[in-house]
């Protein structure tokens, strides 16, 4: 079961004891925990996908692809590479310490806190835990109260697969999280919105605790005209509605295309939506529902904004009882509408038209830096311009969301979309201190670095530091003698 917070220092003091015992540091301990997690993912697949269905009506295949498979791959990759990642990295040493050796030692940080969000509640909880354990830390996971079925499943099953004296689940909402944040952690990884991120950062600052903030933002999709339109439409639709019905941090938030190309793009998007989700998408089993009534009201508010009235060109149906909103397209909504000012995080997709695609870069750059930015084009020139003029957590050309699954790429935001990154080796690094270690020998003792600083010594040291061989040769004999 998860931990109930009763006394003030809980559960950090117990975890600190466990960490101090040194057991989390060994390769064997880390490997055993990771194998336990892998076994849990395999053995509890049905319970996990059932919980995700309860929390979000998440289609089973989506859960399998986005949560089960990605978590499993993360664990398998970490198990495969861990021994190699843990090895100290030899680096060149320095002439002034000759003879010596230098290396970078990966050291666990200690006791870390992971606070996760509701939209991919299994993956976003377990994936950072995999990184924290791989790096040799003791860890607390605080899953989101907005996905209660997955949260309580974690609390029920995880302790029987891992060492629960070092890895704990604390369920709860704001009050429990606030109590956790009062304690001193050695790292906090938070996934969620930027308002709460500021609370996390302020709490962390009191203890000088480093943080990774995995936030969101408005992810733009720029669509050029010289593309495979059918493929682009499918990739946009699946990235938007096929990832939790738009409730994903990297889901397309708005499209920018040219005025002349927009009719073709709109047609292709409508056709694809109908192909994927039928003529009555509200009845589709392949779309998640909106997570709860708060988010349903938030999305309704975005649609009810008078600045977007008359702009819906597809969809727009809502069912409050079932918390469902149909895939919805809007055309040319004003930039000062709520929908263009806030992260949408739901099944609404505005399309903005411009005369020239390069104008789109100014529009994107006028907003906080997004977590992901997408471009569909075959133009090398436009691609280069996009890469060089748009700042975003990550980028993907000619598709959406897939970069998230490449564990060779760091995943994280920049500016308002977050700080720090994880996935693959970057997860290990996120929970590791890179300790620089220089090892000197007693051979090669040179008196020049010690006072008194005679003119000869000065000449010698300057020659060494400037790399001046002639001066060095001239000065070396006298210096060694002094
Ligand atoms: P949420 O409501 O699940 O909150 C996230 C976590 O913050 C929860 O564990 C919650 O208990 C905690 N929390 C909430 N209020 C708090 C408070 N006052 N003090 C301390 N802790 C508090 O999730 P959310 O914020 O609705 O998540 C959606 C946002 O997260 C979107 O902006 C989305 O883009 C972003 N997101 C980012 C990623 C990523 O990997 N970068 C992934 C998913 C979601």
């Amino acid at each position: 079961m998860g931990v109930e917070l009763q006394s003030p220092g809980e559960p950090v003091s117990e975890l600190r004891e466990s960490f101090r015992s040194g057991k989390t540091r060994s390769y064997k301990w880390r490997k055993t925990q990771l194998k336990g997690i892998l076994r849990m993912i395999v053995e509890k697949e049905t319970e996990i996908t059932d919980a995700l269905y309860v929390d979000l009506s998440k289609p089973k295949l989506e859960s399998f692809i986005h949560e089960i498979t990605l978590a499993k791959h993360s664990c398998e990759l970490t198990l495969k590479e861990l021994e190699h990642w843990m090895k100290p990295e030899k680096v060149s040493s320095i002439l002034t310490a000759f003879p010596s050796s230098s290396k970078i030692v990966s050291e666990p940080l200690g006791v870390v806190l992971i606070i996760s969000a509701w939209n991919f509640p299994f993956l976003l909880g377990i994936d950072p835990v995999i990184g924290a354990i791989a790096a040799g830390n003791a860890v607390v996971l605080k899953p989101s109260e907005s996905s209660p079925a997955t949260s309580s499943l974690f609390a029920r099953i995880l302790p029987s697969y891992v060492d629960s004296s070092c890895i704990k689940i604390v369920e709860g909402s704001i009050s429990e999280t606030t109590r956790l944040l009062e304690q001193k952690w050695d790292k906090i990884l938070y996934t969620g919105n930027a308002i709460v991120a500021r609370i996390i950062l302020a709490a962390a600052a009191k203890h000088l605790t480093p943080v990774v903030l995995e936030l969101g933002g408005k992810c733009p999709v720029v669509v050029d005209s010289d593309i495979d339109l059918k493929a682009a439409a499918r990739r946009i639709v699946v990235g938007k509605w096929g990832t939790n019905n738009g409730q994903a941090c990297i889901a397309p938030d708005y499209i920018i295309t040219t005025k002349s190309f927009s009719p073709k793009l709109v047609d292709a998007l409508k056709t694809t939506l109908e192909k994927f989700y039928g003529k009555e998408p509200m009845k589709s089993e392949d779309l998640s529902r909106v997570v709860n009534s708060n988010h349903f009201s938030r999305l309704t508010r975005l649609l009810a904004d008078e600045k977007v009235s008359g702009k819906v060109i597809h969809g727009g149906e809502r069912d409050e009882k079932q918390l469902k909103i149909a895939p919805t397209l809007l055309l040319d909504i004003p930039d000062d509408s709520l929908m263009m000012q806030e992260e949408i995080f739901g099944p609404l997709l505005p399309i903005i038209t411009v005369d020239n695609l390069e104008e789109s870069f100014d529009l994107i750059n006028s907003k906080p830096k997004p977590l992901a930015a997408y471009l569909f084009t075959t133009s090398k020139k436009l691609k280069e311009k996009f890469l060089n003029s748009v700042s975003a957590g990550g980028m993907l050309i000619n598709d959406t969301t897939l970069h998230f699954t490449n564990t060779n790429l760091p995943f994280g935001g920049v500016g308002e979309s977050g700080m720090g990154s994880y996935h693959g080796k970057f997860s290990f690094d996120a929970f590791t201190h890179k300790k620089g270690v220089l090892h000197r020998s007693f051979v090669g003792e040179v008196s020049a670095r010690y006072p008194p600083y005679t003119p000869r010594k000065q000449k010698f040291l300057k020659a060494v530091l400037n790399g001046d061989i002639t001066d060095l040769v001239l000065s070396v004999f006298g210096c060694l003698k002094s």
Side-chain angles (χ1 to χ4, degrees), residues 353-391:
T353 64
V354 289
D355 291 321
N356 179 333
L357 271 192
E358 286 172 21
E359 282 172 46
S360 66
F361 304 160
D362 294 336
L363 176 60
I364 297 168
N365 290 332
S366 71
K367 300 186 181 300
K369 293 179 179 180
L371 184 59
Y374 306 110
L375 170 68
F376 285 84
T377 190
T378 50
S379 155
K380 226 174 149 188
K381 199 171 141 218
L382 189 67
K383 188 182 90 175
E384 284 308 311
K385 248 194 152 160
F386 189 68
L387 287 177
N388 293 325
S389 29
V390 171
S391 176

Side-chain angles (χ1 to χ4, degrees), residues 116 118-119 142 144-145 177 190-193 214-216 249 343:
S116 63
W118 53 265
N119 59 332
K142 210 298 289 170
S144 175
E145 66 279 22
T177 317
Y190 162 80
T191 304
N193 67 72
E214 291 288 338
L215 315 178
C249 53
E343 179 183 6

Side-chain angles (χ1 to χ4, degrees), residues 433-474:
H433 167 60
K434 298 287 180 191
K435 187 160 72 180
V437 179
L438 193 145
H439 186 173
R440 271 213 85 183
S441 151
F442 284 111
V443 178
E445 179 68 349
V446 176
S447 58
R449 65 188 278 221
Y450 305 118
Y453 300 127
T454 61
R456 241 183 199 165
K457 284 181 180 176
Q458 285 184 35
K459 206 171 172 200
F460 172 75
L461 279 177
K462 278 189 180 164
V464 169
L465 296 172
N466 290 333
D468 189 327
I469 302 293
T470 319
D471 276 0
L472 182 62
V473 172
L474 288 174

Side-chain angles (χ1 to χ4, degrees), residues 169-447:
I169 302 283
V170 175
E171 283 193 274
S173 56
I174 297 179
S175 67
E176 288 79 5
T177 317
T178 306
R179 284 174 64 185
L180 288 174
L181 287 172
E182 283 160 4
Q183 303 184 42
K184 178 172 166 53
W185 302 88
D186 298 303
K187 185 110 188 197
I188 299 174
L189 185 147
Y190 162 80
T191 304
N193 67 72
I195 296 170
V196 173
R198 287 167 165 81
I199 298 174
I200 308 288
L201 200 52
K206 284 193 186 142
H207 300 286
L208 270 188
T209 298
V211 294
V212 172
L213 299 176
E214 291 288 338
L215 315 178
K218 292 186 78 61
C219 303
V221 187
V222 177
V223 184
D224 196 4
S225 54
D226 63 335
I227 52 168
D228 177 339
L229 181 56
K230 190 175 168 195
R234 287 153 71 123
R235 292 172 189 188
I236 293 170
V237 169
V238 82
K240 175 71 177 181
W241 293 279
T243 47
N244 214 19
N245 206 358
Q247 301 168 106
C249 53
I250 47 171
D253 189 275
Y254 63 103
I255 290 176
I256 310 175
T257 192
T258 56
K259 285 190 176 38
S260 54
F261 189 63
S262 67
K264 279 189 183 160
L265 178 63
V266 168
D267 265 2
L269 291 171
K270 286 182 182 176
T271 309
T272 310
L273 277 169
E274 198 174 311
K275 229 178 191 161
F276 286 7
Y277 305 114
K279 282 194 186 325
E280 294 183 276
M282 297 289 275
K283 291 187 180 155
S284 172
E285 281 293 307
D286 294 331
L287 286 165
S288 300
R289 64 163 158 73
V290 175
V291 64
N292 56 32
S293 55
N294 287 345
H295 281 274
F296 189 89
S297 311
R298 182 183 60 76
L299 290 162
T300 303
R301 185 173 52 86
L302 297 186
L303 272 173
D305 177 4
E306 61 179 24
K307 290 190 171 137
V308 307
S309 113
K311 302 285 187 184
V312 171
I313 53 166
H314 184 81
E317 302 87 352
R318 278 171 281 163
D319 179 340
E320 191 167 0
K321 253 195 186 146
Q322 292 194 66
L323 297 174
K324 284 195 166 181
I325 300 178
T328 299
L329 297 171
L330 300 98
L331 188 61
D332 277 332
I333 60 174
D335 196 49
D336 63 352
S337 58
L338 291 174
M339 213 178 286
M340 283 307 288
Q341 293 297 314
E342 295 178 14
E343 179 183 6
I344 295 172
F345 216 61
L348 321 173
L349 183 60
I351 298 159
I352 308 299
T353 64
V354 289
D355 291 321
N356 179 333
L357 271 192
E358 286 172 21
E359 282 172 46
S360 66
F361 304 160
D362 294 336
L363 176 60
I364 297 168
N365 290 332
S366 71
K367 300 186 181 300
K369 293 179 179 180
L371 184 59
Y374 306 110
L375 170 68
F376 285 84
T377 190
T378 50
S379 155
K380 226 174 149 188
K381 199 171 141 218
L382 189 67
K383 188 182 90 175
E384 284 308 311
K385 248 194 152 160
F386 189 68
L387 287 177
N388 293 325
S389 29
V390 171
S391 176
M395 253 178 202
L396 176 49
I397 313 296
N398 293 333
D399 210 324
T400 64
T401 69
L402 275 187
H403 63 303
F404 181 90
T405 62
N406 182 352
T407 45
N408 295 317
L409 295 175
F411 181 74
V414 55
E416 196 77 10
S417 56
M419 58 178 78
S421 60
Y422 74 126
H423 283 191
K425 168 80 160 42
F426 303 98
S427 293
F428 176 84
D429 290 342
F431 292 104
T432 294
H433 167 60
K434 298 287 180 191
K435 187 160 72 180
V437 179
L438 193 145
H439 186 173
R440 271 213 85 183
S441 151
F442 284 111
V443 178
E445 179 68 349
V446 176
S447 58

Side-chain angles (χ1 to χ4, degrees), residues 76-110:
E76 285 165 345
L77 171 81
T78 309
L79 274 163
K80 184 165 157 254
E81 299 292 339
L82 183 59
E83 208 168 3
H84 164 63
W85 292 346
M86 284 173 69
K87 281 209 174 104
E89 184 193 339
K90 278 197 178 154
V91 292
S92 330
S93 216
I94 44 170
L95 182 63
T96 44
F98 182 82
S100 69
S101 64
S102 292
K103 61 185 172 184
I104 302 166
V105 173
S106 290
E107 180 180 82
L109 291 169

Side-chain angles (χ1 to χ4, degrees), residues 11-29:
V12 178
S13 43
E14 184 195 338
L15 289 175
R16 212 163 276 294
E17 274 302 299
S18 302
F19 179 71
R20 282 204 190 108
S21 76
K23 67 172 162 176
T24 66
R25 290 175 180 261
S26 77
Y27 172 63
K28 193 171 161 227
W29 181 89

